[in-house]
Amino acid sequence: MTYRNIQGMRAIAALMVVSCHMFWNLGPTRLYWVKPFFAAIGPAGVDVFFVISGFIIYNVLQRSIGELGQVGRGRAVFVFAMKRFIRIYPLYWIAFAAAFLVMLWGPPLPRGQEKPLLELLTLVNGAPNYIVGVAWTLTYEVYFYAVAALSLWALGRRAMLGLAAWFGLLVVATAAGAGHAASPWNYLFAPILLEFSFGVAIGMLVRRGFQRCHGALWVVASIWMLVGTWFVAHDPVSYPLRVIGWAAPAALFIHGFVVLELQGRWIMPRSLQYLGDASFSIYLWHLIVFEGVAAVFARLGWIGVVDPALLMAGMVAAGLAFALASYHWIEKPLLACLPGVAGLHRGPVARAEAAPRPEPC
Protein backbone atom coordinates (compact mmCIF):
# COMPACT_ATOMS: atom_id res chain seq x y z
CA MET A 1 0.00 0.00 0.00
CA THR A 2 1.16 3.51 -0.80
CA TYR A 3 0.36 5.86 2.07
CA ARG A 4 -0.59 9.23 0.61
CA ASN A 5 -0.25 10.99 3.95
CA ILE A 6 3.28 9.62 4.27
CA GLN A 7 4.08 11.20 0.91
CA GLY A 8 2.72 14.47 2.24
CA MET A 9 4.90 14.18 5.33
CA ARG A 10 7.92 13.57 3.09
CA ALA A 11 7.13 16.85 1.34
CA ILE A 12 6.91 18.69 4.67
CA ALA A 13 10.23 17.19 5.77
CA ALA A 14 11.93 18.21 2.52
CA LEU A 15 10.60 21.78 2.74
CA MET A 16 11.80 22.02 6.35
CA VAL A 17 15.34 21.17 5.24
CA VAL A 18 15.12 23.60 2.31
CA SER A 19 13.98 26.39 4.62
CA CYS A 20 16.91 25.70 6.93
CA HIS A 21 19.46 26.01 4.13
CA MET A 22 17.81 29.14 2.80
CA PHE A 23 18.66 31.02 5.97
CA TRP A 24 21.68 29.28 7.40
CA ASN A 25 24.25 27.68 5.14
CA LEU A 26 24.59 30.38 2.50
CA GLY A 27 25.99 33.69 3.70
CA PRO A 28 24.28 35.93 1.07
CA THR A 29 20.83 34.78 2.22
CA ARG A 30 21.15 35.48 5.93
CA LEU A 31 18.08 37.52 6.71
CA TYR A 32 18.48 37.61 10.46
CA TRP A 33 14.95 38.59 11.35
CA VAL A 34 13.57 35.24 10.13
CA LYS A 35 16.70 33.12 10.36
CA PRO A 36 16.44 31.99 14.03
CA PHE A 37 13.14 30.15 13.65
CA PHE A 38 13.80 28.42 10.31
CA ALA A 39 17.43 27.65 11.12
CA ALA A 40 16.44 26.13 14.45
CA ILE A 41 13.58 23.84 13.44
CA GLY A 42 14.42 23.24 9.76
CA PRO A 43 17.00 20.48 10.43
CA ALA A 44 14.26 18.44 12.13
CA GLY A 45 13.13 17.56 8.61
CA VAL A 46 16.00 15.05 8.53
CA ASP A 47 14.69 13.34 11.65
CA VAL A 48 11.19 13.23 10.17
CA PHE A 49 12.69 11.56 7.09
CA PHE A 50 14.41 8.94 9.22
CA VAL A 51 11.20 8.04 11.07
CA ILE A 52 9.33 7.83 7.75
CA SER A 53 12.09 5.64 6.32
CA GLY A 54 11.77 3.23 9.25
CA PHE A 55 8.02 2.99 8.63
CA ILE A 56 8.45 2.40 4.91
CA ILE A 57 11.21 -0.19 5.23
CA TYR A 58 9.17 -2.08 7.82
CA ASN A 59 6.33 -2.39 5.32
CA VAL A 60 8.64 -3.26 2.42
CA LEU A 61 10.37 -5.87 4.58
CA GLN A 62 7.03 -7.40 5.54
CA ARG A 63 6.17 -7.68 1.86
CA SER A 64 9.52 -9.33 1.17
CA ILE A 65 8.94 -11.78 4.03
CA GLY A 66 5.54 -12.63 2.57
CA GLU A 67 7.17 -13.49 -0.78
CA LEU A 68 9.80 -15.84 0.65
CA GLY A 69 7.72 -18.94 0.03
CA GLN A 70 7.13 -18.02 -3.61
CA VAL A 71 10.50 -16.70 -4.74
CA GLY A 72 12.98 -18.06 -2.20
CA ARG A 73 15.23 -16.25 0.24
CA GLY A 74 18.01 -15.39 -2.21
CA ARG A 75 15.63 -13.80 -4.71
CA ALA A 76 13.73 -11.89 -2.02
CA VAL A 77 16.95 -10.45 -0.61
CA PHE A 78 18.21 -9.55 -4.09
CA VAL A 79 15.00 -7.72 -4.98
CA PHE A 80 14.91 -5.89 -1.64
CA ALA A 81 18.56 -4.79 -1.84
CA MET A 82 18.50 -3.90 -5.54
CA LYS A 83 15.39 -1.74 -5.16
CA ARG A 84 17.06 0.16 -2.35
CA PHE A 85 20.23 0.54 -4.46
CA ILE A 86 18.28 1.85 -7.46
CA ARG A 87 16.33 4.25 -5.24
CA ILE A 88 19.44 5.91 -3.84
CA TYR A 89 22.63 5.57 -5.87
CA PRO A 90 21.95 6.48 -9.53
CA LEU A 91 20.43 9.88 -8.78
CA TYR A 92 22.94 10.49 -5.99
CA TRP A 93 25.89 9.85 -8.33
CA ILE A 94 24.44 12.28 -10.89
CA ALA A 95 23.96 14.93 -8.19
CA PHE A 96 27.47 14.20 -6.88
CA ALA A 97 29.00 14.88 -10.30
CA ALA A 98 27.02 18.09 -10.67
CA ALA A 99 27.97 19.27 -7.17
CA PHE A 100 31.63 18.56 -7.88
CA LEU A 101 31.49 20.74 -11.01
CA VAL A 102 29.75 23.56 -9.10
CA MET A 103 32.41 23.33 -6.42
CA LEU A 104 35.19 23.65 -9.02
CA TRP A 105 33.52 26.53 -10.82
CA GLY A 106 32.14 28.53 -7.91
CA PRO A 107 33.97 30.61 -5.30
CA PRO A 108 35.64 28.65 -2.48
CA LEU A 109 33.29 27.77 0.36
CA PRO A 110 34.10 26.21 3.73
CA ARG A 111 33.60 22.48 3.27
CA GLY A 112 34.52 21.01 6.63
CA GLN A 113 36.12 17.61 6.99
CA GLU A 114 37.11 15.92 3.75
CA LYS A 115 36.45 12.21 3.33
CA PRO A 116 37.99 9.70 0.90
CA LEU A 117 36.26 9.72 -2.47
CA LEU A 118 35.37 6.01 -2.22
CA GLU A 119 33.50 6.57 1.04
CA LEU A 120 31.55 9.45 -0.47
CA LEU A 121 30.62 7.50 -3.61
CA THR A 122 29.62 4.34 -1.76
CA LEU A 123 27.99 6.23 1.14
CA VAL A 124 29.79 3.91 3.53
CA ASN A 125 31.00 6.00 6.47
CA GLY A 126 30.49 8.97 4.16
CA ALA A 127 29.45 11.54 6.76
CA PRO A 128 30.14 14.40 6.60
CA ASN A 129 29.88 14.77 2.84
CA TYR A 130 31.78 17.82 1.65
CA ILE A 131 30.59 17.46 -1.98
CA VAL A 132 26.83 16.93 -1.52
CA GLY A 133 26.27 18.42 1.91
CA VAL A 134 22.87 16.85 2.58
CA ALA A 135 24.06 13.35 1.63
CA TRP A 136 25.44 12.65 5.10
CA THR A 137 21.96 11.36 5.90
CA LEU A 138 22.11 8.86 3.03
CA THR A 139 25.06 7.21 4.75
CA TYR A 140 22.76 6.25 7.61
CA GLU A 141 19.91 5.34 5.26
CA VAL A 142 22.14 2.91 3.35
CA TYR A 143 23.42 1.44 6.61
CA PHE A 144 19.83 0.84 7.76
CA TYR A 145 18.94 -0.77 4.42
CA ALA A 146 21.98 -3.05 4.68
CA VAL A 147 20.99 -4.21 8.17
CA ALA A 148 17.45 -4.92 6.96
CA ALA A 149 18.75 -6.88 3.94
CA LEU A 150 21.18 -8.90 6.08
CA SER A 151 18.41 -9.65 8.56
CA LEU A 152 16.21 -10.93 5.74
CA TRP A 153 19.05 -13.06 4.36
CA ALA A 154 20.13 -14.50 7.72
CA LEU A 155 16.79 -14.92 9.47
CA GLY A 156 14.19 -15.17 6.72
CA ARG A 157 10.70 -14.87 8.18
CA ARG A 158 12.20 -13.77 11.48
CA ALA A 159 14.02 -10.83 9.91
CA MET A 160 12.41 -8.43 12.36
CA LEU A 161 14.40 -10.08 15.12
CA GLY A 162 17.56 -8.94 13.36
CA LEU A 163 16.37 -5.35 13.32
CA ALA A 164 15.30 -5.61 16.95
CA ALA A 165 18.73 -6.93 17.94
CA TRP A 166 20.43 -4.10 16.01
CA PHE A 167 18.29 -1.45 17.67
CA GLY A 168 18.99 -3.02 21.05
CA LEU A 169 22.72 -2.89 20.35
CA LEU A 170 22.39 0.79 19.43
CA VAL A 171 20.67 1.53 22.73
CA VAL A 172 23.46 -0.17 24.66
CA ALA A 173 26.15 1.58 22.59
CA THR A 174 24.46 4.95 23.09
CA ALA A 175 24.32 4.42 26.84
CA ALA A 176 28.02 3.49 26.79
CA GLY A 177 28.95 6.55 24.71
CA ALA A 178 30.19 4.51 21.72
CA GLY A 179 28.20 6.67 19.32
CA HIS A 180 29.67 9.97 20.47
CA ALA A 181 31.03 12.15 17.67
CA ALA A 182 34.59 11.77 18.97
CA SER A 183 34.35 7.96 19.12
CA PRO A 184 35.94 5.84 16.37
CA TRP A 185 32.70 3.84 16.40
CA ASN A 186 30.45 6.83 15.82
CA TYR A 187 29.36 5.68 12.34
CA LEU A 188 28.36 2.17 13.44
CA PHE A 189 26.66 3.22 16.65
CA ALA A 190 25.44 6.77 16.01
CA PRO A 191 22.39 7.36 18.24
CA ILE A 192 20.56 9.01 15.33
CA LEU A 193 20.18 5.53 13.84
CA LEU A 194 17.63 4.85 16.58
CA GLU A 195 15.24 7.19 14.77
CA PHE A 196 14.53 4.42 12.26
CA SER A 197 13.21 2.32 15.14
CA PHE A 198 10.41 4.85 15.73
CA GLY A 199 9.16 4.31 12.19
CA VAL A 200 9.43 0.54 12.55
CA ALA A 201 7.43 0.76 15.77
CA ILE A 202 4.70 2.77 14.00
CA GLY A 203 4.52 0.13 11.27
CA MET A 204 4.20 -2.65 13.83
CA LEU A 205 1.49 -0.83 15.79
CA VAL A 206 -0.55 -0.09 12.68
CA ARG A 207 -0.15 -3.68 11.41
CA ARG A 208 -1.37 -5.00 14.77
CA GLY A 209 -4.47 -2.82 14.69
CA PHE A 210 -3.46 0.06 16.93
CA GLN A 211 -5.19 2.74 14.88
CA ARG A 212 -6.26 5.41 17.29
CA CYS A 213 -5.68 9.10 16.69
CA HIS A 214 -6.30 11.65 19.43
CA GLY A 215 -5.98 15.38 18.84
CA ALA A 216 -4.52 15.77 22.32
CA LEU A 217 -1.50 13.72 21.24
CA TRP A 218 -0.85 16.17 18.42
CA VAL A 219 -0.91 19.06 20.88
CA VAL A 220 1.57 17.17 23.05
CA ALA A 221 3.72 16.39 19.99
CA SER A 222 3.74 20.05 18.91
CA ILE A 223 4.82 21.28 22.34
CA TRP A 224 7.32 18.42 22.58
CA MET A 225 8.93 19.35 19.26
CA LEU A 226 9.12 23.06 20.12
CA VAL A 227 10.75 22.33 23.46
CA GLY A 228 13.03 19.81 21.78
CA THR A 229 14.02 22.44 19.24
CA TRP A 230 15.12 24.76 22.04
CA PHE A 231 17.38 22.07 23.50
CA VAL A 232 18.79 20.92 20.13
CA ALA A 233 19.49 24.52 19.10
CA HIS A 234 21.74 24.84 22.15
CA ASP A 235 23.57 21.59 21.32
CA PRO A 236 23.08 20.96 17.57
CA VAL A 237 25.64 18.14 17.34
CA SER A 238 23.93 16.00 19.97
CA TYR A 239 22.27 13.06 18.23
CA PRO A 240 20.59 11.78 21.43
CA LEU A 241 18.86 15.15 21.80
CA ARG A 242 17.62 14.91 18.20
CA VAL A 243 16.25 11.43 18.86
CA ILE A 244 14.37 12.55 21.97
CA GLY A 245 13.47 16.10 20.98
CA TRP A 246 12.59 15.64 17.29
CA ALA A 247 12.19 12.00 16.24
CA ALA A 248 9.88 11.02 19.12
CA PRO A 249 7.29 13.77 18.52
CA ALA A 250 7.65 13.27 14.75
CA ALA A 251 6.63 9.65 15.29
CA LEU A 252 3.41 10.79 17.00
CA PHE A 253 2.58 13.03 14.04
CA ILE A 254 3.34 10.33 11.48
CA HIS A 255 1.30 7.70 13.30
CA GLY A 256 -1.60 10.12 13.49
CA PHE A 257 -1.50 10.91 9.76
CA VAL A 258 -1.30 7.22 8.85
CA VAL A 259 -4.30 6.44 11.06
CA LEU A 260 -6.30 9.32 9.60
CA GLU A 261 -5.75 7.91 6.12
CA LEU A 262 -6.54 4.33 7.09
CA GLN A 263 -9.78 5.50 8.69
CA GLY A 264 -10.63 7.62 5.66
CA ARG A 265 -10.88 10.76 7.77
CA TRP A 266 -8.29 12.99 6.07
CA ILE A 267 -5.89 12.80 3.15
CA MET A 268 -3.01 15.18 2.47
CA PRO A 269 -3.60 17.65 -0.41
CA ARG A 270 -2.51 16.43 -3.83
CA SER A 271 0.06 19.21 -4.02
CA LEU A 272 1.86 17.85 -0.96
CA GLN A 273 1.57 14.29 -2.26
CA TYR A 274 3.21 15.43 -5.50
CA LEU A 275 6.03 17.19 -3.66
CA GLY A 276 6.40 14.08 -1.54
CA ASP A 277 6.90 11.99 -4.66
CA ALA A 278 9.61 14.46 -5.71
CA SER A 279 11.07 14.85 -2.21
CA PHE A 280 14.27 12.89 -2.91
CA SER A 281 15.10 15.11 -5.88
CA ILE A 282 14.21 18.21 -3.86
CA TYR A 283 16.38 17.06 -0.98
CA LEU A 284 19.39 16.13 -3.13
CA TRP A 285 19.41 19.08 -5.51
CA HIS A 286 18.30 22.15 -3.59
CA LEU A 287 21.60 22.95 -1.88
CA ILE A 288 23.61 22.25 -5.05
CA VAL A 289 21.43 24.69 -6.99
CA PHE A 290 21.57 27.23 -4.16
CA GLU A 291 25.36 27.17 -4.33
CA GLY A 292 25.25 27.39 -8.13
CA VAL A 293 23.01 30.47 -8.05
CA ALA A 294 25.22 32.06 -5.39
CA ALA A 295 28.26 31.36 -7.59
CA VAL A 296 26.60 33.08 -10.55
CA PHE A 297 25.80 36.11 -8.41
CA ALA A 298 29.37 36.19 -7.13
CA ARG A 299 30.87 36.02 -10.62
CA LEU A 300 28.57 38.79 -11.83
CA GLY A 301 29.55 40.95 -8.87
CA TRP A 302 26.02 41.14 -7.54
CA ILE A 303 26.78 40.03 -3.98
CA GLY A 304 26.25 43.05 -1.73
CA VAL A 305 24.63 44.96 -4.61
CA VAL A 306 21.44 42.98 -5.19
CA ASP A 307 18.94 42.77 -2.32
CA PRO A 308 19.62 39.53 -0.39
CA ALA A 309 15.89 38.77 -0.51
CA LEU A 310 16.08 38.75 -4.31
CA LEU A 311 19.04 36.38 -4.21
CA MET A 312 17.14 34.12 -1.83
CA ALA A 313 14.06 34.16 -4.07
CA GLY A 314 16.22 33.26 -7.06
CA MET A 315 17.80 30.38 -5.18
CA VAL A 316 14.48 28.95 -4.04
CA ALA A 317 12.83 29.29 -7.45
CA ALA A 318 15.80 27.76 -9.26
CA GLY A 319 16.26 25.03 -6.66
CA LEU A 320 12.65 23.86 -6.72
CA ALA A 321 12.36 24.16 -10.51
CA PHE A 322 15.52 22.15 -11.08
CA ALA A 323 14.50 19.55 -8.50
CA LEU A 324 11.08 19.03 -10.09
CA ALA A 325 12.68 18.82 -13.53
CA SER A 326 15.06 16.22 -12.12
CA TYR A 327 12.15 14.26 -10.72
CA HIS A 328 10.31 14.13 -14.05
CA TRP A 329 13.23 13.74 -16.45
CA ILE A 330 15.90 11.93 -14.42
CA GLU A 331 14.52 10.23 -11.31
CA LYS A 332 11.29 8.81 -12.74
CA PRO A 333 12.91 7.44 -15.91
CA LEU A 334 15.66 5.83 -13.82
CA LEU A 335 13.12 4.21 -11.49
CA ALA A 336 11.12 3.03 -14.51
CA CYS A 337 13.94 1.45 -16.52
CA LEU A 338 16.60 0.29 -14.06
CA PRO A 339 14.47 -2.39 -12.34
CA GLY A 340 14.06 -4.09 -15.70
CA VAL A 341 17.77 -3.82 -16.44
CA ALA A 342 18.53 -5.36 -13.03
CA GLY A 343 16.13 -8.23 -13.66
CA LEU A 344 13.62 -7.26 -10.99
CA HIS A 345 10.67 -7.89 -13.31
CA ARG A 346 11.44 -11.58 -13.71
CA GLY A 347 9.64 -14.32 -11.84
CA PRO A 348 5.94 -14.78 -10.95
CA VAL A 349 5.77 -12.27 -8.11
CA ALA A 350 7.93 -9.70 -9.86
CA ARG A 351 5.81 -9.82 -13.02
CA ALA A 352 2.69 -9.28 -10.97
CA GLU A 353 4.29 -6.15 -9.51
CA ALA A 354 5.75 -4.88 -12.79
CA ALA A 355 2.90 -2.47 -13.50
CA PRO A 356 4.04 1.06 -12.61
CA ARG A 357 2.89 2.16 -9.19
CA PRO A 358 4.23 4.69 -6.72
CA GLU A 359 6.26 3.30 -3.84
CA PRO A 360 7.12 5.64 -0.97
CA CYS A 361 10.71 4.45 -0.54
Side-chain angles (χ1 to χ4, degrees):
M1 174 180 181
T2 298
Y3 291 91
R4 290 171 289 177
N5 281 355
I6 285 291
Q7 293 301 82
M9 284 297 295
R10 285 163 60 100
I12 292 171
L15 294 176
M16 288 174 70
V17 176
V18 170
S19 69
C20 167
H21 288 137
M22 282 166 50
F23 298 105
W24 182 259
N25 283 336
L26 300 176
T29 63
R30 291 185 177 178
L31 301 179
Y32 288 98
W33 61 280
V34 291
K35 172 185 168 181
F37 175 78
F38 287 102
I41 201 167
V46 167
D47 307 84
V48 175
F49 269 128
F50 281 179
V51 177
I52 291 173
S53 182
F55 175 79
I56 291 169
I57 293 303
Y58 169 80
N59 285 281
V60 174
L61 194 57
Q62 289 297 321
R63 189 172 66 201
S64 298
I65 291 171
E67 296 170 356
L68 286 174
Q70 297 170 274
V71 302
R73 186 176 301 189
R75 176 66 182 176
V77 173
F78 172 78
V79 171
F80 176 89
M82 187 56 65
K83 281 188 175 182
R84 308 283 74 73
F85 180 91
I86 290 171
R87 190 69 184 90
I88 294 292
Y89 282 101
L91 186 62
Y92 167 67
W93 284 335
I94 293 171
F96 186 93
F100 184 75
L101 293 177
V102 169
M103 186 178 70
L104 292 179
W105 182 76
L109 292 174
R111 296 286 172 177
Q113 177 187 351
E114 295 192 8
K115 303 282 286 188
L117 184 61
L118 182 62
E119 292 184 3
L120 297 182
L121 289 175
T122 60
L123 295 171
V124 175
N125 196 22
N129 191 314
Y130 72 98
I131 303 294
V132 184
V134 298
W136 69 271
T137 65
L138 300 183
T139 289
Y140 296 115
E141 289 274 0
V142 168
Y143 182 14
F144 174 48
Y145 298 164
V147 172
L150 286 173
S151 298
L152 183 63
W153 173 76
L155 300 173
R157 297 187 182 280
R158 297 183 176 181
M160 292 308 302
L161 292 178
L163 281 183
W166 181 58
F167 289 135
L169 180 61
L170 290 175
V171 171
V172 173
T174 298
H180 190 273
S183 168
W185 304 99
N186 65 329
Y187 165 58
L188 294 177
F189 301 118
I192 201 169
L193 291 162
L194 286 169
E195 297 187 345
F196 296 114
S197 70
F198 288 95
V200 172
I202 294 169
M204 295 177 67
L205 289 172
V206 170
R207 187 178 183 88
R208 285 161 173 74
F210 186 81
Q211 299 180 10
R212 298 177 182 177
C213 179
H214 297 288
L217 284 180
W218 285 23
V219 174
V220 171
S222 300
I223 297 173
W224 190 344
M225 182 163 281
L226 289 174
V227 173
T229 298
W230 187 88
F231 282 100
V232 175
H234 286 78
D235 190 3
V237 298
S238 173
Y239 284 165
L241 277 180
R242 294 184 71 141
V243 173
I244 297 170
W246 281 342
L252 294 178
F253 281 117
I254 292 167
H255 178 266
F257 280 119
V258 169
V259 169
L260 286 178
E261 180 174 355
L262 291 174
Q263 295 177 348
R265 293 165 58 188
W266 190 75
I267 303 295
M268 288 275 191
R270 290 186 178 274
S271 57
L272 280 180
Q273 294 178 44
Y274 166 72
L275 291 177
D277 290 336
S279 60
F280 187 46
S281 283
I282 294 172
Y283 183 76
L284 264 186
W285 284 108
H286 75 275
L287 191 55
I288 300 172
V289 177
F290 284 6
E291 293 182 351
V293 172
V296 170
F297 272 60
R299 285 186 172 269
L300 294 176
W302 291 353
I303 303 295
V305 177
V306 176
D307 189 329
L310 183 61
L311 172 57
M312 183 185 69
M315 286 178 171
V316 174
L320 289 179
F322 191 93
L324 295 179
S326 166
Y327 169 64
H328 284 287
W329 297 329
I330 302 177
E331 183 180 352
K332 287 179 68 176
L334 286 173
L335 295 179
C337 71
L338 289 182
V341 173
L344 300 186
H345 292 164
R346 300 170 193 161
V349 175
R351 281 195 294 270
E353 294 185 344
R357 64 177 183 176
E359 180 178 297
C361 60

